[in-house]
Amino acid sequence: MWEYTEKVRELFLHPKNAGEITDPDAVGEVGSIICGDALKLTLKIDKETARITDAKFQTFGCASAIASSSALTELIKGMTIEQASRITNKDIAEFLGGLPKEKMHCSVMGREALEAAISSYRGEAKAPEVHERIICKCFEVSEEKIRRVAIENRLTTVDDITNYTKAGGGCGFCKPDIEAILMDILSVRTIPEPVHPPRKLTNLKKIALIQDVIDKEIRPRLQADSGDIDLIDIDNNRVIVALRAMCVSCPMGNVTIKGIEEKLRELVSDDIVVEEG
Amino acid sequence: MRKCYFDHVATNPLDPRVLDAMMPYFKEEFGNPLSIYELASNARNAIENARSQVASLVGSKPSEIVFTSSGAESNNFGLRGIALARQNEGKHVIVSKMEHHSILNSARFLEKMGFVVTYLPVDKHGLVNPEAVKKAIMKETTVISVIHASSEVGTIEPLKEIANIAKEHKVLLHTDAVASTGNIPVNVKELGVDLLSMAAHQFYGPKGAGALYLREGLRIAPLIYGGIQEGGRRAGTENVPAIVGMGKAAELASAEMDERARHVKRLRDRLIEGVTKVANVQLTGHPADRLPGHASFTVEYIEGEAMLLFLAAKGMYIASGSACSSKALKVSPVLLSMGIPAGVAQGSIVFTLGKGNTDEDIDYALNEFPQIINKLRGISPYAKGWDEKDESHKCFTT
């Protein structure tokens, strides 16, 4: 069974603020029953001070969804709208003493409901959903949500994304798309290494170094994904390689070649061009 | 607090009489059955005795029983072993959508090896239509696997009719009888099956012991190569205490089956009657053709894991097929294949009763469970009813 903290158990078995405020100043509804969890958040807000005087939740979902919803209401009661708008899913998870990683999406749902409620209070129109690019069709998760959750929680793998947003947890067809989004995010966030002074390499040394980098740096990574690489030829600054095994059919093939090139530029010489032979 | 174990489909407690029978083989009778001195022949005789006990439970010859480590191994062995042994005759196998993962994933493994697999649909009670089996059979079909009784919804499949069709077309029939063997009469001759999987811990025997009935004269490819244990069909030094325990458990099940089944069926009927009185709670699976101790429901507007944990907090141990109660976060494919909408399947809950349960257990469950349902519905945004547009169940139907 799941390893829930005492706080999760307590707020699940004896939830605080369960119910619905009859005359709410703000309402946030997220999730859907088909996908296993849904949350309706209702808030009472003091107009003068913009402070949340009461918060209640209704949740359809598992123990951690109920506990996360309850935790959210406990967190935001007494806060100003401004303060509440800075609450993240991490705050909810921390309030609970942590959540199993597979259940982090429950904390994300809490934060989304809060956001929806705040938007409704501020009278902001809900962002038109039709323009969102839906990545995970099973759970209707948009690219925007994946990007945001990934950046805020410093997620690096597709499994992380599934745990935090459920995207990729259904049929799994969108996993390559999620991978591409992650690659994009990670490449933006990568801080460039300090540039080494250009090394003068003899041709022989250069070839040896390229082989070494492929063997030690590149091949193990490809093999971890059931792929492989062969070095076919080196012609001046052109490095010709062939991707093998799973890499052949991998939709990420182009990205892989780019990655190999970057690695070789970083470690060997910055004028290297990698081509597929 | 009262403790009620209502998850016999997960596993059964070990019968103390079975443990007593096993103990000598943990201690003084530790010999390797393959050795030739007396200590070894004691172990060997114990295995052969267990083989006779298991054979008599399912109405086979002792020589037709191969011991394995589990129901899952028996299922892998039965389906893959036959498909591979007969691949020169054809590469098509048929399985139902009610199957356990050990059959479904074996079928997927065969697909990767170039086999074609037909997945038989089921009706709203989870029944396979024998006519559909007939239609699915092709010239290349070598083996069909249909579960005897579903662990998720308790439905007992019409195996005899399926067996007749299989025989007519000279196709072998394997059945996963893990949930049924030892709990209801299972006779390989009467059912007409060629292979049958069973597991000891489903009838008060130990974990780590399973068996495959393999009709005399059938060729099968082993899963495990090595020594000559089990006639070369399953290598590896025998788990003697577990096998002895399986034999003893089989003997006790044969002797006490009627009484046990009557007992759990009466308790089950009380439980079903009481639980379905709660509004918007439905029995899943077949109302009559079901395992005697099996009561499975869907409770609308709330989610299974939450029910499960509330029940656990009250000392009641049960199972659920909801997405959140599975580590993969997927709704039970069996429930979906029966046409239960994904939103409803989220409220799946399964009580499976055993010989140790009492009327007091049922009283306790019937008192507590409706309160838990009410409490969870009280905090559910759907308690007032479904939002019709949410009723689609596109999640996971593919």
Side-chain angles (χ1 to χ4, degrees), chain A residues 142-264:
Chain A
S142 67
E143 174 166 356
E144 191 196 342
K145 177 170 171 182
I146 292 172
R147 280 180 182 274
R148 218 178 70 184
V149 172
I151 291 167
E152 284 178 359
N153 293 281
R154 297 177 177 273
L155 306 182
T156 53
T157 68
V158 177
D159 281 350
D160 287 343
I161 297 291
T162 306
N163 289 334
Y164 278 70
T165 67
K166 287 193 171 189
C171 66
F173 282 144
C174 61
K175 283 186 178 179
D177 297 336
I178 298 173
E179 177 98 52
I181 294 170
L182 278 175
M183 286 284 247
D184 188 43
I185 295 170
L186 294 174
S187 65
V188 170
R189 289 171 64 216
T190 305
I191 300 151
E193 295 264 318
V195 183
H196 297 291
R199 279 170 286 189
K200 274 280 173 211
L201 291 171
T202 64
N203 259 344
L204 211 59
K205 273 188 183 164
K206 190 161 143 189
I207 290 168
L209 192 56
I210 289 170
Q211 278 179 327
D212 201 46
V213 169
I214 287 179
D215 285 343
K216 291 195 181 138
E217 294 281 331
I218 296 166
R219 177 166 293 124
R221 289 184 199 193
L222 295 176
Q223 284 175 342
D225 286 333
S226 310
D228 208 344
I229 182 170
D230 279 341
L231 179 60
I232 294 182
D233 201 2
I234 298 169
D235 176 18
N236 237 339
N237 63 344
R238 282 172 64 226
V239 176
I240 297 148
V241 299
L243 294 177
R244 302 287 188 217
M246 290 299 282
C247 289
V248 174
S249 57
C250 179
M252 303 295 291
N254 284 334
V255 181
T256 308
I257 292 286
K258 264 274 169 271
I260 294 165
E261 188 172 271
E262 269 169 32
K263 202 79 208 165
L264 288 172

Side-chain angles (χ1 to χ4, degrees), chain B residues 197-320:
Chain B
S197 300
M198 50 199 134
H201 74 110
Q202 295 286 332
F203 49 95
Y204 307 97
K207 294 154 190 74
L212 179 72
Y213 155 75
L214 177 67
R215 184 167 58 73
E216 202 165 43
L218 287 182
R219 279 183 312 119
I220 190 161
L223 288 185
I224 300 173
Y225 295 94
I228 57 160
Q229 292 90 355
E230 301 299 292
R233 290 175 294 201
R234 206 277 186 182
T237 300
E238 297 89 339
N239 185 353
V240 182
I243 290 172
V244 168
M246 183 169 192
K248 183 67 184 176
E251 181 192 287
L252 294 171
S254 302
E256 298 170 7
M257 186 177 296
D258 290 350
E259 188 194 326
R260 288 182 194 174
R262 246 198 323 276
H263 173 70
V264 293
K265 185 171 180 296
R266 192 178 59 77
L267 297 182
R268 177 203 74 183
D269 289 344
R270 278 196 61 204
L271 186 65
I272 291 176
E273 200 201 327
V275 172
T276 49
K277 271 187 194 149
V278 181
N280 299 305
V281 174
Q282 280 89 28
L283 183 74
T284 57
H286 200 282
D289 293 336
R290 63 186 300 126
L291 288 170
H294 200 291
S296 52
F297 309 96
T298 51
V299 181
E300 289 186 55
Y301 320 133
I302 55 178
E303 191 276 336
E305 192 219 66
M307 281 188 270
L308 189 157
L309 292 177
F310 256 111
L311 285 161
K314 293 281 184 185
M316 285 175 275
Y317 304 117
I318 49 89
S320 168

Side-chain angles (χ1 to χ4, degrees), chain B residues 70-99:
Chain B
S70 59
E73 186 191 330
S74 299
N75 279 339
N76 272 262
F77 185 26
L79 182 61
R80 285 160 56 186
I82 291 293
L84 293 178
R86 300 194 144 207
Q87 58 181 322
N88 290 338
E89 293 162 45
K91 285 190 159 190
H92 179 237
V93 303
I94 300 171
V95 301
S96 85
K97 286 194 176 173
M98 295 300 283
E99 301 306 308

Side-chain angles (χ1 to χ4, degrees), chain B residues 66-376:
Chain B
V66 182
F67 285 115
T68 65
S69 68
S70 59
E73 186 191 330
S74 299
N75 279 339
N76 272 262
F77 185 26
L79 182 61
R80 285 160 56 186
I82 291 293
L84 293 178
R86 300 194 144 207
Q87 58 181 322
N88 290 338
E89 293 162 45
K91 285 190 159 190
H92 179 237
V93 303
I94 300 171
V95 301
S96 85
K97 286 194 176 173
M98 295 300 283
E99 301 306 308
H100 184 257
H101 287 297
S102 51
I103 287 292
L104 290 177
N105 287 340
S106 290
R108 271 172 212 136
F109 167 81
L110 289 170
E111 281 179 317
K112 279 189 192 145
M113 292 197 58
F115 284 76
V116 175
V117 180
T118 300
Y119 297 89
L120 296 169
V122 294
D123 71 8
K124 64 176 179 171
H125 292 138
L127 284 175
V128 172
N129 184 348
E131 281 305 306
V133 179
K134 196 181 223 166
K135 282 193 191 126
I137 293 176
M138 301 193 279
K139 197 165 89 252
E140 294 82 8
T141 312
T142 53
V143 57
I144 302 168
S145 188
V146 174
I147 197 164
H148 186 206
S150 164
S151 57
E152 289 188 54
V153 295
T155 300
I156 300 171
E157 298 293 340
L159 269 188
K160 281 183 210 175
E161 286 134 80
I162 297 169
N164 287 339
I165 290 165
K167 261 194 203 77
E168 239 171 72
H169 294 81
K170 296 197 168 51
V171 176
L172 296 182
L173 177 62
H174 166 263
T175 189
D176 168 1
V178 169
S180 56
T181 306
N183 294 303
I184 56 171
V186 170
N187 184 301
V188 293
K189 297 286 175 304
E190 277 174 29
L191 291 174
V193 296
D194 301 290
L195 300 104
L196 179 141
S197 300
M198 50 199 134
H201 74 110
Q202 295 286 332
F203 49 95
Y204 307 97
K207 294 154 190 74
L212 179 72
Y213 155 75
L214 177 67
R215 184 167 58 73
E216 202 165 43
L218 287 182
R219 279 183 312 119
I220 190 161
L223 288 185
I224 300 173
Y225 295 94
I228 57 160
Q229 292 90 355
E230 301 299 292
R233 290 175 294 201
R234 206 277 186 182
T237 300
E238 297 89 339
N239 185 353
V240 182
I243 290 172
V244 168
M246 183 169 192
K248 183 67 184 176
E251 181 192 287
L252 294 171
S254 302
E256 298 170 7
M257 186 177 296
D258 290 350
E259 188 194 326
R260 288 182 194 174
R262 246 198 323 276
H263 173 70
V264 293
K265 185 171 180 296
R266 192 178 59 77
L267 297 182
R268 177 203 74 183
D269 289 344
R270 278 196 61 204
L271 186 65
I272 291 176
E273 200 201 327
V275 172
T276 49
K277 271 187 194 149
V278 181
N280 299 305
V281 174
Q282 280 89 28
L283 183 74
T284 57
H286 200 282
D289 293 336
R290 63 186 300 126
L291 288 170
H294 200 291
S296 52
F297 309 96
T298 51
V299 181
E300 289 186 55
Y301 320 133
I302 55 178
E303 191 276 336
E305 192 219 66
M307 281 188 270
L308 189 157
L309 292 177
F310 256 111
L311 285 161
K314 293 281 184 185
M316 285 175 275
Y317 304 117
I318 49 89
S320 168
S322 89
C324 281
S325 60
S326 88
K327 292 256 169 186
L329 297 180
K330 290 189 184 183
V331 181
S332 152
V334 164
L335 297 177
L336 297 182
S337 67
M338 288 162 61
I340 295 172
V344 178
Q346 298 286 4
S348 134
I349 195 108
V350 183
F351 293 77
T352 40
L353 312 181
K355 66 187 173 86
N357 290 125
T358 61
D359 273 300
E360 287 73 33
D361 290 346
I362 304 299
D363 293 339
Y364 183 61
L366 288 178
N367 183 42
E368 296 290 338
F369 188 39
Q371 293 180 40
I372 291 171
I373 295 175
N374 285 340
K375 181 160 188 180
L376 284 168

Side-chain angles (χ1 to χ4, degrees), chain A residues 66-123:
Chain A
I66 292 170
S68 294
S69 311
S70 189
L72 169 70
T73 54
E74 284 288 278
L75 271 170
I76 59 173
K77 274 210 284 189
M79 280 187 174
T80 62
I81 289 294
E82 189 50 39
Q83 288 164 332
S85 68
R86 287 194 294 270
I87 293 277
T88 66
N89 68 292
K90 277 195 277 187
D91 297 327
I92 297 171
E94 268 165 31
F95 186 86
L96 292 168
L99 281 170
K101 64 183 192 324
E102 294 89 346
K103 297 286 189 177
M104 283 303 288
H105 62 86
C106 296
S107 66
V108 174
M109 177 171 79
R111 184 259 176 85
E112 283 186 313
L114 174 62
E115 233 169 29
I118 292 173
S119 300
S120 85
Y121 175 71
R122 287 175 172 164

Side-chain angles (χ1 to χ4, degrees), chain A residues 1-2 4 12-15 18-20 31-40 57-64 66 102-103 105 137-140 162-163 166 169-171, chain B residues 300-303 305-310 313 323-331 342-344 346-347 375-376 378-382 384 386 390-396 398:
Chain A
M1 206 49 232
W2 306 103
Y4 285 132
F12 161 61
L13 293 173
H14 311 286
E20 190 176 13
S32 90
I33 199 162
I34 43 170
C35 297
D37 34 36
L39 164 57
K40 182 177 183 183
F57 76 92
Q58 288 177 301
T59 296
F60 167 87
C62 54
S64 51
I66 292 170
E102 294 89 346
K103 297 286 189 177
H105 62 86
K137 297 193 171 58
C138 293
F139 291 117
E140 290 196 11
T162 306
N163 289 334
K166 287 193 171 189
C171 66
Chain B
E300 289 186 55
Y301 320 133
I302 55 178
E303 191 276 336
E305 192 219 66
M307 281 188 270
L308 189 157
L309 292 177
F310 256 111
C324 281
S325 60
S326 88
K327 292 256 169 186
L329 297 180
K330 290 189 184 183
V331 181
V344 178
Q346 298 286 4
K375 181 160 188 180
L376 284 168
I379 58 175
S380 165
Y382 297 109
K384 287 176 198 147
W386 294 99
D390 272 352
E391 259 278 37
S392 67
H393 47 96
K394 59 184 174 178
C395 275
F396 316 124
T398 46

